[in-house]
Amino acid sequence: MAPPRLTGALRSFSTVSKQDDSTHDLYDLKTKRLKRQEIFARDGLTWQKIVQFFTQHLEKKDQPAATRELKNILQAAKHIVGTDFGQDTIESAGVFLFKTFHNKDQISHEETRAIKQMFGPFPASPAESCCAAVGRLVAQIGESQVDAFIQTQSSLKTVNSGSVFGRNIAFSFDAYALDAHDTMPWSEETDMDQALDF
Amino acid sequence: MACAKVPLDELHVTQPSGPQGKERTLPALHPDRKEERCFLTFKPPPEDGTPALLEEFLEHAQFISEDLEWLLALPHDKFWCQVVFDESLQRCLDSYLSHAPRSLDPSGISSSPAVADMQRNVHRSVFMVFLRMATHKESKENFITPAVFAEIIYNNYLFDIPKILDLCVLFGKGNSQLVHKMIENIFTQQPSYYGDLDETIPSIIQVFDSILQKCGIQSDDQPLKLNANRCLTAMTMSEEELADLVLYMCDTCTTVHSFLDIFPEACSTFKQHNFLNRLSSFYEIVVPDLEKAVKKRNFNKSIQENMWRQVSHSRKKMVEIAHLLLQHSCLQPILEGSENVVSFVEDLLQNFTAFLQEKRFLADYDEQFPIVDDISLLQQAFPLLDDTRTSYLLQGVESAWEFVGKKKSFPS
């Protein structure tokens, strides 16, 4: 249960706060993940572009292997997102997995968390086989070339810390705390008694 | 995009619209420019360290942290569209202020490093969002007309009194100057907040009354309830109820103190509600009652120890609140030689005289802020001070010390 707070009482009983029913959440984790997938699907990098990139940059003899790996990635994506979704969602998940694994040898905690953030709990083996497939695919062309391709195609920018509000503002995590000296009277330890332009 | 030197509220932008990509011009601050981001509400870390619950908290908080980072990286015009028109964002911010763990809570700080790290990320980002919302002029190019800013923050409840109090108690300890600047700007641009504060103070006093009632004590100016005899007291209520009550008092005193400490301009509004007298009489009645219950009742030692510290903390904060009120609404104007010095002197002496009947409070106040020092200052600033009156007052202070059985420690 939420601890009792002065401001909780004021929100409930005074007339100076917005009176709305904030007891239910507007969105849950599932909705949030879908929204995240939707935002990601708007990215400039698409599955077609990935397929095209490998078709253009590989010699004909290497293409069957690449096609096999691309299929493997999509297959893994299907296992991760679930069977209820259409081809667009699966391809979008394939793009996400390709982007996530393109410069990784194995799945670390960071990648696991990123995939879970996007799709929720997922089985480990498709993720591992996907990571391996992406590794084999990228090895055919070279990591730096794939990196450059992803950079030029992606329209979703990662947050640039240089443009974030407050980046230069010193912030302290100090918080009001109980005085450690106020121990019980019978305890042995104590004798009882930057400049923002507003 | 934004043109130079035009306030956001007058700025118009042209952007593609519809499937054919036709262009249309609309005000920079317009609901159609808001992004559907679906901010989640904040939930506090789980009290028990179940891995599944911790994992869920981390995932939840990670979304919030990333979304707030995204928000802070938005250009000025897009930031304000989101802030004004995205209800989920406002709920997210409000949920953080309401549910963020506080170090005064028994389960305040998480022992898991991952949770603590995540908590710190969200904590900083929430503060920066509020700071940005309290800033009407971010740079020479990015600003809002002050009068419009005042309307935006007030009419959309971007700030309200409970939120301002939460900001003080959550962020004020280490960032007092920034928080002061924020609140000062909010109150200066939108004086209606003084009216809201004025309306809120009776509710704060009601919180004191409700604590008294829960202890089975009626405050002086409330009629005795018919079922008063059947009320529980601090000695008979359940352990959980007592723990909640002590935490409630501790949170209330810390919150009010942090607000007045950071924004002393609010002292006069509190004083107008006779807050000092209500506070000192509340202290006089409730402190011995709760101290006795915490000391005499038999329960888990660590809980008991923590409750004792919360009561002691509340005592100190109440005394400090009284001092802040007197300092900013009486002493300072006297020392600064303001015009109505006589009325400030009279007010101060009347307040001290009113304390004479609250002997425990008076002795504790005098211990932290010796009244003799204030009288001596008064005598220097106002030589016409009535000696008989001050002697009477100081004798009253001595008798308060005797009443509570304490001995003064005099400097050697």
Side-chain angles (χ1 to χ4, degrees):
Chain A
M1 219 177 70
R5 303 247 191 264
L6 168 68
T7 51
L10 298 181
R11 281 184 174 88
S12 302
F13 301 116
S14 73
T15 53
V16 296
S17 292
K18 189 175 186 179
Q19 298 299 313
D20 60 1
D21 179 19
S22 54
T23 48
H24 72 277
D25 295 338
L26 282 179
Y27 304 108
D28 58 10
L29 274 177
K30 204 174 161 188
T31 322
K32 182 67 191 168
R33 282 194 202 107
L34 287 174
K35 173 53 69 181
R36 201 183 164 95
Q37 289 172 32
E38 192 189 308
I39 292 171
F40 184 80
R42 293 203 298 258
D43 188 14
L45 182 62
T46 61
W47 186 251
Q48 279 67 35
K49 283 181 184 169
I50 293 175
V51 173
Q52 206 178 10
F53 172 75
F54 284 101
T55 315
Q56 283 171 355
H57 288 80
L58 287 175
E59 289 180 24
K60 212 165 187 179
K61 65 178 172 63
D62 296 327
Q63 283 185 9
T67 310
R68 206 166 44 245
E69 302 304 355
L70 287 165
K71 263 189 188 164
N72 286 339
I73 296 170
L74 274 191
Q75 194 62 27
K78 196 172 179 179
H79 278 109
I80 288 172
V81 295
T83 47
D84 299 342
F85 296 94
Q87 189 62 19
D88 287 351
T89 310
I90 292 167
E91 286 186 358
S92 173
V95 175
F96 178 80
L97 293 170
F98 180 78
K99 258 181 111 169
T100 306
F101 293 137
H102 81 276
N103 52 3
K104 301 284 183 301
D105 297 330
Q106 54 186 0
I107 308 175
S108 71
H109 182 67
E110 195 186 326
E111 288 80 47
T112 307
R113 204 172 65 180
I115 299 170
K116 200 174 163 217
Q117 284 278 105
M118 188 65 100
F119 307 112
F122 63 95
S125 61
E128 277 160 16
S129 66
C130 182
C131 183
V134 173
R136 289 191 295 269
L137 194 59
V138 170
Q140 288 185 285
I141 286 185
E143 204 177 295
S144 56
Q145 217 176 328
V146 175
D147 255 340
F149 162 68
I150 290 176
Q151 288 296 324
T152 50
Q153 292 298 322
S154 291
S155 57
L156 285 180
K157 293 181 180 62
T158 47
V159 171
N160 170 13
S161 62
S163 64
V164 176
F165 177 91
R167 67 198 179 279
N168 294 326
I169 296 173
F171 178 78
S172 161
F173 289 94
D174 270 4
Y176 290 101
L178 295 175
D179 194 338
H181 299 294
D182 289 327
T183 46
M184 295 286 284
W186 50 83
S187 161
E188 290 172 2
E189 291 169 24
T190 177
D191 57 355
M192 156 73 183
D193 278 300
Q194 55 269 131
L196 275 173
D197 197 350
F198 283 99
Chain B
M1 272 319 285
C3 307
K5 309 277 168 91
V6 178
L8 177 64
D9 42 289
E10 290 175 19
L11 195 66
H12 283 73
V13 291
T14 304
Q15 62 178 40
S17 129
Q20 269 114 44
K22 274 189 181 173
E23 291 203 327
R24 70 164 175 161
T25 300
L26 68 170
L29 204 52
H30 191 280
D32 287 357
R33 301 193 68 220
K34 172 197 84 169
E35 302 245 359
E36 281 306 326
R37 190 76 189 185
C38 301
F39 284 85
L40 294 177
T41 49
F42 177 82
K43 292 181 172 45
E47 282 183 25
D48 59 349
T50 321
L53 289 177
L54 281 180
E55 194 57 38
E56 192 183 329
F57 165 79
L58 286 173
E59 191 180 4
H60 215 94
Q62 175 77 20
F63 274 127
I64 295 176
S65 175
E66 285 175 7
D67 284 346
L68 294 179
E69 275 286 297
W70 167 83
L71 180 73
L72 288 166
L74 287 178
H76 187 247
D77 55 334
K78 299 284 273 180
F79 171 82
W80 278 97
C81 285
Q82 211 66 32
V83 155
V84 173
F85 302 116
D86 188 345
E87 193 195 342
S88 73
L89 166 61
Q90 288 310 320
R91 283 212 191 184
C92 168
L93 295 172
D94 201 39
S95 65
Y96 185 79
L97 296 184
S98 302
H99 302 300
R102 300 180 185 189
S103 40
L104 300 172
D105 297 344
S107 57
I109 304 302
S110 173
S111 54
S112 152
V115 170
D117 264 4
M118 183 61 75
Q119 181 55 34
R120 282 163 70 91
N121 284 344
V122 176
H123 192 64
R124 187 182 190 282
S125 297
V126 168
F127 177 74
M128 289 305 164
V129 172
F130 275 105
L131 185 61
R132 199 174 185 189
M133 289 198 301
T135 307
H136 66 273
K137 188 176 178 187
E138 214 169 275
S139 66
K140 278 180 188 168
E141 293 79 25
N142 298 314
F143 60 100
I144 306 175
T145 309
V148 179
F149 167 78
E151 273 181 35
I152 289 174
I153 59 168
Y154 191 74
N155 296 347
N156 295 291
Y157 294 94
L158 302 190
F159 291 94
D160 59 27
I161 298 297
K163 285 183 188 179
I164 291 169
L165 295 176
D166 281 328
L167 287 169
C168 288
V169 79
L170 281 170
F171 303 104
K173 177 78 163 75
N175 306 284
S176 57
Q177 284 186 339
L178 270 178
V179 180
H180 174 257
K181 239 178 150 183
M182 270 169 82
I183 300 177
E184 188 186 41
N185 193 48
I186 293 166
F187 275 77
T188 307
Q189 303 303 335
Q190 180 53 276
S192 298
Y193 282 113
Y194 278 109
D196 283 1
L197 179 64
D198 194 53
E199 272 185 50
T200 308
I201 293 169
S203 302
I204 299 177
I205 292 171
Q206 263 179 22
V207 167
F208 288 144
D209 288 341
S210 80
I211 292 173
L212 289 177
Q213 272 174 26
K214 281 178 187 157
C215 291
I217 306 163
Q218 296 291 129
S219 66
D220 293 345
D221 56 349
Q222 287 211 326
L224 198 66
K225 284 194 175 168
L226 286 174
N227 63 352
N229 290 338
R230 282 181 277 137
C231 270
L232 292 171
T233 67
M235 287 301 283
T236 58
M237 67 178 64
S238 73
E239 186 185 316
E240 288 77 19
E241 279 177 303
L242 181 63
D244 270 359
L245 198 67
V246 169
L247 179 60
Y248 194 27
M249 178 176 75
C250 186
D251 177 75
T252 301
C253 297
T254 309
T255 304
V256 172
H257 174 264
S258 66
F259 175 58
L260 292 175
D261 191 32
I262 285 165
F263 189 58
E265 291 89 330
C267 285
S268 54
T269 314
F270 271 77
K271 243 188 123 261
Q272 283 160 17
H273 285 267
N274 208 12
F275 192 80
L276 257 175
N277 287 351
R278 302 301 297 267
L279 182 74
S280 58
S281 63
F282 171 77
Y283 183 104
E284 192 72 10
I285 305 168
V286 90
V287 165
D289 204 58
L290 286 178
E291 280 191 344
K292 185 178 154 201
V294 172
K295 260 200 250 182
K296 300 259 157 115
R297 290 184 60 172
N298 249 339
F299 40 82
N300 177 297
K301 275 277 168 260
S302 75
I303 295 177
Q304 192 175 18
E305 193 74 53
N306 195 54
M307 268 196 245
W308 180 264
R309 288 168 63 203
Q310 288 174 337
V311 174
S312 302
H313 184 84
S314 310
R315 282 178 59 179
K316 269 188 204 154
K317 291 297 146 194
M318 282 189 268
V319 166
E320 285 171 16
I321 290 169
H323 181 69
L324 279 170
L325 292 175
L326 288 177
Q327 191 188 354
H328 291 284
S329 51
C330 303
L331 265 171
Q332 215 158 286
I334 295 168
L335 296 178
E336 284 166 359
S338 71
E339 276 182 29
N340 299 324
V341 72
V342 181
S343 68
F344 288 118
V345 170
E346 182 56 33
D347 191 17
L348 183 65
L349 291 176
Q350 270 188 20
N351 276 300
F352 282 154
T353 311
F355 289 168
L356 292 179
Q357 37 181 332
E358 322 288 7
K359 293 187 188 300
R360 288 182 195 89
F361 174 80
L362 181 60
D364 287 348
Y365 182 94
D366 189 57
E367 191 175 14
Q368 277 198 64
F369 305 104
I371 289 178
V372 69
D373 292 352
D374 288 342
I375 298 285
S376 154
L377 268 178
L378 272 187
Q379 282 165 336
Q380 289 169 37
F382 190 70
L384 301 171
L385 207 61
D386 180 355
D387 283 346
T388 322
R389 204 170 164 192
T390 52
S391 304
Y392 170 73
L393 201 55
L394 292 174
Q395 273 171 21
V397 174
E398 291 298 321
S399 96
W401 278 81
E402 281 166 25
F403 176 82
V404 296
K406 280 170 130 183
K407 279 192 178 165
K408 268 192 176 186
S409 55
F410 292 99
S412 51

